[in-house]
Amino acid sequence: MSIFNGLAAVEEEILKCMKCGNCQAVCPLYKESRQEPAVARGKIRLAAAVLDGRLKPAETLARRFDLCLTCLACVATCPSGVKVDRIILAARTAMVREKGLPFIKKTAFTGLSRPHLFDLGIKTAARLQGVFFKRLEQEKMQPRFPLGLELRRIVPPLASVPFRDRVAETHKVERPAATVAFFTGCMTNYLYPEIGQATLRVLKAHGVNVIIPRMQHCCGAPLLYNGAADMAREMAKSHVDLFGSIRARADAIITVCGTCGEAFKHLYPELLDTTPGYGKKAREVADRIMDITRFLYRLPFNPNLFRAPELSITYHQPCHLGRGLGVVQEPLSIIRSIAGVIYQPLKEPGRCCGNAGSFSLTHYDLSYRVLAHKLRDIKSSGAQMVITGCPACRMHLNDGLTQEQMPQKAVHTIEFLAGILAER
Amino acid sequence: MSIAQAIEALRRELGDENVITAVEDLFCYSYDATADLPEQRPDVVVTPENVDQVVKVVKIARQFHLPVYPRGSGTNLSGGTVPVKGGIVLSTLKMNRILEIDPSNLTATVQPGVIIQDLNNAAVQYGLIYPPDPGTVATATMGGSVAECSGGLRGLKYGVTRHYVMGLEVVLASGEVVRYGGKTVKNVTGYDLVRLFTGSEGTLGIITEIIVRLIPAPQARETMLAGFNDLAGAGNAVAGIIGAKVIPATLEIMDRVTVETVENYARVGLPTDAAAVLLIEVDGIPEVVKSEAEAVKRVVVQNGGWIKTAENDEEREKLWSARRAALPALARRKPTTILEDATVPRSKITDMLLALEDIGRRYNLVIGTFGHAGDGNLHPTILADARDEEEMKRVRGAVEEIFRTALNLGGTLSGEHGIGIAKKKFLPWEAGKAGMQVLKKIKQALDPDNLLNPGKIVDLEEDRA
């Protein structure tokens, strides 16, 4: 039974929790509040209480389940191997089934689930953003009004032309070493087209054909992580259809965002398990999904294509990329194989930056407090630049680095690589 | 005189931010890390920020006749923090400052909500350590571990929490604040109430400040893993090592069930045909460490075992990972994990291990035993499924028999987890009738209205009824 069909699917997981409380040692939210409902053990007990009827779904209860970054730190440390994220997602989905979504989330997710409407909306917003945001620098804007964003928050501008509208659908090289399908994700498409461009350049330099299927849209992860599984099902199906159809032509489906990767790798098969005609197909697509750095690493990566960077670097490991998809060593191996790279590791590279997607919209203050730990870690590393494998982490890190007036800039791993390509 | 009025008074005195009443939140304070216990929701949770606020809570509790349950991280294994009679859970987690590290007196002064590991991290900057090392070192609070007198992996050489607590500030049930002990090594001024409150499980007072002893960090250490084909060999080696006048910092054992489970789970290279393995670490001055390690190796070989030494930090980490994997590996075999801590004199370790194997067979239960062989504190870990009531009956029967066996061997019900509610009914077996009366008189003298963590260690109501 799927976790998106109710809490009963995670009964075994709930039972496995022996309440030892080891999750307290690693939960970034618990470290801030030091209150039991913030930590996995607390939320698992709440899920147990819902399951056996002692608690009824309620908006107040839903708020407790919202209080999780899904950073998977507890999962990695749990002695009993409880998959806490599955319990959280099941609980959130169960809450939404019973109580519905808050108005703002419902509106936003309805938008995301209608690709054409969403695309049009973003493009319109891109034209109008000057009215609502003041431009600080090329890449940084601050809201003029509280538009559901904190006024102090620094965000990137929407791309005037989205990435997928800028580039051709297929990019061929002579004597290709491989062919990949590229799932860009929304943040790359609408906020950071430079990540998409960088991906194309690095892949081209490695002799890889790239297909960027036109009909792709939001992976649905924001919906799935917020309990709106029913709204996400059609989104998942369309991607399984789309990427399933080019599966035979592509050696891999690459992503540049750990969360998009998680959606394809783990959430789609779960969501579509019992949808007629989609279970097997979703698993086949999941088998092909791969983070860009893992793909390059296995290709194998050619360090000789790159020249020594000018700045010393450090690496922030995105939660869904590292603990979710298990991509831990690949980015580091790649970076360190390039001659002249000065890598100054963080003390806790895998500690969540606090963004967690929509969590930073609904809980910005808490999200920023979690970020503060990361910023301190970056500062004490002495590195001059931060590299990370996720556009959302990149945004959050730059928000904090700007607000704290730190000199470092955060870029995606693939942007860093494209920036030091020897042949420009 | 209603709960609502009490909550109102608490809000007035502590501020809304320190008073938790939402039903969902209260659910999250209805348990601790103990298996097979009913949950009970408190009426309110308070998070005082200083001793004055703790005093206010106690006074309001007195006024409204509400029980108060001090709670740190809730990682104890005795039901010690479960609010069995409703009332007020007092979380110490906001009192989490390290007030002082005093390298000239080798002490640290901390608030109760400080996490043990955080104290260690602070002490290490002075080249000092706080030796008590419970498995929950990264999560448990100082207040909780003092109240439970927790032990850990270094008990044999370094002792347990009580050997490091030098002074305490305690809020009594009357609402008065008292301080006992201090920074002096020697102190025979009056009764040793520091020892009384250490391990009192929150039933006699609420600890609000702690002065602990620190020691210089050992300069060197050597870590070894030894395997034996029979339990007796391992048991005799433990005795032999002590007999050779070596006191290892760590002397841990894992039995056959644990070794098999660990190897299946973690693939750390343990021989699954071994009846038992020992993890041994000696530490101190380099020359001493070297000669002690030689002695250990001799004893192991004399007792028919093999031994390997970690040559570097990486290998040391690997050996330790085998031991650390014991509980996680066992916990994954079945959904419910019952972790006991019956303890025997070191010389009876072999008898206890054999008895545990026998109990597992007779009750048809999987029992993996690992633990602190060096100090006689074993952790027989019973793997079960809480949904299987018939199996849980056998579990409870086996637990009773484990306790009886430990006592028959001259041991004790609990080496380091405490009595709480989980072992309360067995306490008379060890304390006897007169002994129980003394415990109750102490409780009555300090907490006549039975407001502090009622229903733990001793029951006062039963006698009145």
Side-chain angles (χ1 to χ4, degrees):
Chain A
M1 191 178 153
S2 156
I3 58 170
F4 298 115
N5 284 331
L7 274 167
V10 288
E11 191 185 347
E12 287 291 327
E13 292 297 331
I14 290 172
L15 206 69
K16 264 167 37 187
C17 170
M18 58 177 177
K19 304 181 294 178
C20 66
N22 281 9
C23 38
Q24 294 173 356
V26 294
C27 175
L29 294 184
Y30 179 78
K31 295 250 182 212
E32 298 307 318
S33 77
R34 293 171 77 84
Q35 292 188 1
E36 186 78 17
V39 81
R41 180 173 69 165
K43 283 180 281 249
I44 293 172
R45 292 336 294 160
L46 289 178
V50 176
L51 200 56
D52 64 24
R54 283 176 297 153
L55 277 177
K56 294 268 167 287
E59 200 264 325
T60 47
L61 184 57
R63 280 213 299 269
R64 270 62 181 186
F65 290 120
D66 285 346
L67 205 63
C68 170
L69 299 160
T70 64
C71 76
L72 306 169
C74 53
V75 179
T77 205
C78 177
S80 306
V82 177
K83 297 189 179 72
V84 184
D85 54 320
R86 292 175 61 81
I87 299 175
I88 297 290
L89 291 197
R92 287 179 180 175
T93 309
M95 292 298 116
V96 170
R97 287 254 163 86
E98 292 282 337
K99 305 306 294 180
L101 276 166
F103 175 74
I104 291 191
K105 280 188 182 175
K106 189 170 179 184
T107 312
F109 296 160
T110 304
L112 284 177
S113 66
R114 292 181 188 160
H116 295 294
L117 197 67
F118 180 57
D119 192 60
L120 188 67
I122 296 276
K123 284 173 185 164
T124 310
R127 279 198 292 277
L128 296 175
Q129 57 190 339
V131 179
F132 302 103
F133 290 85
K134 51 180 178 259
R135 189 75 69 115
L136 301 179
E137 290 168 42
Q138 178 70 19
E139 274 207 14
K140 294 171 182 171
M141 302 196 310
Q142 212 166 14
R144 294 183 198 271
F145 321 105
L147 309 152
L149 282 175
E150 297 262 341
L151 287 178
R152 62 179 162 132
R153 189 167 187 182
I154 310 290
V155 293
L158 290 165
S160 54
V161 181
F163 171 66
R164 292 195 300 268
D165 291 4
R166 295 181 182 195
V167 295
E169 190 163 8
T170 52
H171 301 256
K172 288 198 170 157
V173 295
E174 281 180 40
R175 289 191 305 278
T179 298
V180 297
F182 180 18
F183 180 79
T184 69
C186 294
M187 289 194 71
T188 295
N189 194 40
Y190 296 114
L191 289 174
Y192 295 120
E194 56 268 39
I195 295 178
Q197 301 282 12
T199 308
L200 288 178
R201 290 183 51 208
V202 175
L203 286 173
K204 187 179 172 195
H206 279 88
V208 176
N209 280 341
V210 184
I211 308 165
I212 309 173
R214 272 278 170 265
M215 299 306 288
Q216 61 178 293
H217 49 101
C218 170
C219 67
L223 286 70
L224 292 167
Y225 280 101
N226 279 286
D230 295 328
M231 293 170 76
R233 192 163 278 112
E234 289 305 318
M235 301 165 80
K237 279 165 71 177
S238 70
H239 283 125
V240 167
D241 281 336
L242 180 62
F243 286 91
S245 71
I246 53 171
R247 192 172 59 87
R249 284 187 283 144
D251 299 295
I253 306 162
I254 57 157
T255 57
V256 288
C257 164
T259 308
C260 297
E262 276 280 82
F264 275 79
K265 188 93 193 168
H266 295 129
L267 302 182
Y268 287 180
E270 181 85 31
L271 180 67
L272 301 177
D273 188 33
T274 52
T275 306
Y278 279 91
K280 181 163 170 277
K281 216 152 92 180
R283 285 191 295 277
E284 285 168 353
V285 168
D287 284 343
R288 287 291 166 93
I289 202 82
M290 202 180 282
D291 174 66
I292 180 70
T293 54
R294 175 168 283 176
F295 176 78
L296 289 170
Y297 179 78
R298 291 183 181 176
L299 195 57
F301 180 72
N302 180 359
N304 300 324
L305 297 171
F306 302 87
R307 60 193 157 76
E310 286 155 18
L311 303 175
S312 62
I313 56 165
T314 192
Y315 177 72
H316 161 68
Q317 175 190 292
C319 301
H320 290 168
L321 184 60
R323 286 181 291 270
L325 297 171
V327 178
V328 176
Q329 286 311 319
E330 291 91 334
L332 295 175
S333 299
I334 285 179
I335 289 166
R336 298 176 77 174
S337 69
I338 301 167
V341 163
I342 302 167
Y343 168 62
Q344 291 166 284
L346 298 178
K347 282 193 203 79
E348 298 181 276
R351 193 186 205 273
C352 180
C353 72
N355 177 275
S358 55
F359 184 88
S360 69
L361 292 173
T362 51
H363 301 78
Y364 185 69
D365 190 54
L366 196 48
S367 168
Y368 197 88
R369 279 161 62 194
V370 175
L371 175 61
H373 293 268
K374 185 60 69 178
L375 296 175
R376 276 197 293 277
D377 202 353
I378 291 170
K379 193 171 185 178
S380 67
S381 77
Q384 294 165 298
M385 186 189 232
V386 190
I387 288 168
T388 188
C390 161
C393 299
R394 181 196 193 279
M395 178 173 79
H396 204 50
L397 292 170
N398 280 323
D399 179 11
L401 291 167
T402 307
Q403 286 193 48
E404 305 305 324
Q405 302 182 334
M406 289 168 65
Q408 295 88 346
K409 187 182 165 198
V411 298
H412 193 286
T413 314
I414 200 72
E415 285 177 275
F416 168 72
L417 291 173
I420 56 167
L421 268 172
E423 250 177 78
R424 305 206 67 151
Chain B
M1 299 276 268
S2 67
I3 296 275
Q5 283 174 303
I7 290 172
E8 200 187 305
L10 288 167
R11 284 192 193 284
R12 202 165 47 235
E13 296 291 350
L14 274 67
D16 284 345
E17 68 278 15
N18 289 322
V19 180
I20 297 168
T21 54
V23 61
E24 296 88 357
D25 296 333
L26 298 179
F27 257 97
C28 299
Y29 294 87
S30 64
Y31 54 81
D32 55 30
T34 320
D36 196 26
L37 281 184
E39 296 180 5
Q40 172 63 50
R41 240 185 306 154
D43 294 301
V44 55
V45 177
V46 292
T47 56
E49 297 175 19
N50 51 53
V51 63
D52 292 341
Q53 291 191 342
V54 175
V55 169
K56 284 171 179 160
V57 172
V58 171
K59 287 187 170 161
I60 291 167
R62 287 178 64 83
Q63 187 188 346
F64 292 92
H65 297 289
L66 288 172
V68 182
Y69 309 86
R71 180 185 175 101
S73 296
T75 52
N76 76 87
L77 292 164
S78 66
T81 48
V82 179
V84 278
K85 296 175 197 297
I88 306 169
V89 164
L90 186 152
S91 164
T92 61
L93 289 177
K94 280 195 184 169
M95 296 172 69
N96 65 338
R97 279 183 303 136
I98 297 171
L99 300 171
E100 182 194 53
I101 302 236
D102 179 349
S104 44
N105 285 308
L106 294 181
T107 61
T109 306
V110 300
Q111 292 188 321
V114 168
I115 306 297
I116 306 171
Q117 186 64 53
D118 291 340
L119 171 60
N120 266 315
N121 294 345
V124 82
Q125 293 171 27
Y126 296 85
L128 301 171
I129 60 167
Y130 173 70
D133 182 30
T136 50
V137 67
T139 51
T141 61
M142 287 297 293
S145 66
V146 170
E148 298 286 329
C149 190
S150 45
L153 273 67
R154 296 198 278 226
L156 168 62
K157 179 168 180 176
Y158 292 107
V160 299
T161 301
R162 74 161 64 89
H163 303 117
Y164 292 87
V165 183
M166 298 176 72
L168 289 176
E169 177 188 81
V170 178
V171 176
L172 299 173
S174 62
E176 295 161 295
V177 182
V178 294
R179 296 184 75 101
Y180 294 106
K183 286 188 180 182
T184 61
V185 172
K186 296 179 177 177
N187 179 329
V188 290
T189 307
Y191 298 128
D192 189 351
L193 296 186
V194 172
R195 284 277 175 110
L196 178 67
F197 284 108
T198 303
S200 64
E201 301 186 13
T203 61
L204 302 180
I206 300 168
I207 296 166
T208 48
E209 199 177 300
I210 305 156
I211 300 173
V212 292
R213 185 161 71 94
L214 305 175
I215 64 166
Q219 295 167 13
R221 60 189 167 194
E222 190 159 332
T223 309
M224 295 156 278
L225 190 76
F228 299 86
N229 291 330
D230 62 315
L231 263 179
N236 294 338
V238 170
I241 289 167
I242 308 295
K245 308 287 185 289
V246 175
I247 311 264
T250 301
L251 183 42
E252 295 283 304
I253 194 165
M254 292 193 280
D255 74 348
R256 186 191 302 275
V257 173
T258 310
V259 169
E260 274 173 17
T261 310
V262 165
E263 190 50 30
N264 276 334
Y265 158 67
R267 306 258 173 238
V268 283
L270 293 178
T272 47
D273 57 344
V277 300
L278 296 175
L279 175 74
I280 309 154
E281 189 166 287
V282 290
D283 67 2
I285 297 162
E287 295 77 24
V288 177
V289 167
K290 197 159 174 270
S291 84
E292 287 191 341
E294 290 307 320
V296 166
K297 287 171 198 166
R298 259 195 320 274
V299 171
V300 168
V301 173
Q302 277 163 11
N303 286 285
W306 53 261
I307 188 157
K308 63 180 174 191
T309 307
E311 300 295 341
N312 51 44
D313 279 353
E314 199 182 323
E315 285 183 30
R316 175 177 184 269
E317 191 47 39
K318 207 173 165 194
L319 297 187
W320 269 98
S321 70
R323 166 62 182 86
R324 270 196 289 263
L327 184 59
L330 288 169
R332 283 171 202 228
R333 275 184 64 166
K334 293 195 86 175
T336 310
T337 308
I338 292 102
L339 181 68
E340 284 304 339
D341 71 324
T343 300
V344 295
R346 187 186 306 128
S347 59
K348 302 290 186 190
I349 278 285
T350 311
D351 298 332
M352 188 66 187
L353 285 165
L354 292 169
L356 288 168
E357 277 194 354
D358 180 53
I359 291 169
R361 252 192 314 272
R362 278 190 289 113
Y363 286 86
N364 188 24
L365 291 166
V366 182
I367 305 182
T369 300
F370 61 94
H372 324 305
D375 55 35
N377 179 196
L378 294 175
H379 290 305
T381 303
I382 311 179
L383 310 178
D385 187 333
R387 290 167 296 189
D388 184 345
E389 192 39 48
E390 186 274 329
E391 185 179 46
M392 290 308 285
K393 263 191 194 143
R394 281 185 279 124
V395 169
R396 288 170 204 131
V399 166
E400 279 202 35
E401 196 158 335
I402 290 170
F403 292 153
R404 275 196 200 286
T405 309
L407 291 178
N408 288 340
L409 291 171
T412 183
L413 291 172
S414 178
E416 56 184 5
H417 296 169
I419 298 300
I421 37 182
K423 295 195 178 88
K424 190 171 62 175
K425 70 171 177 179
F426 307 110
L427 184 54
W429 294 1
E430 184 167 338
K433 202 173 168 199
M436 288 303 294
Q437 280 309 313
V438 174
L439 294 181
K440 285 178 185 177
K441 279 177 186 160
I442 292 171
K443 169 73 174 167
Q444 273 160 344
L446 283 168
D447 180 19
D449 298 323
N450 200 18
L451 291 178
L452 296 179
N453 208 7
K456 314 294 163 64
I457 306 183
V458 290
D459 268 321
L460 295 183
E461 289 88 346
E462 271 175 19
D463 297 345
R464 288 182 194 148

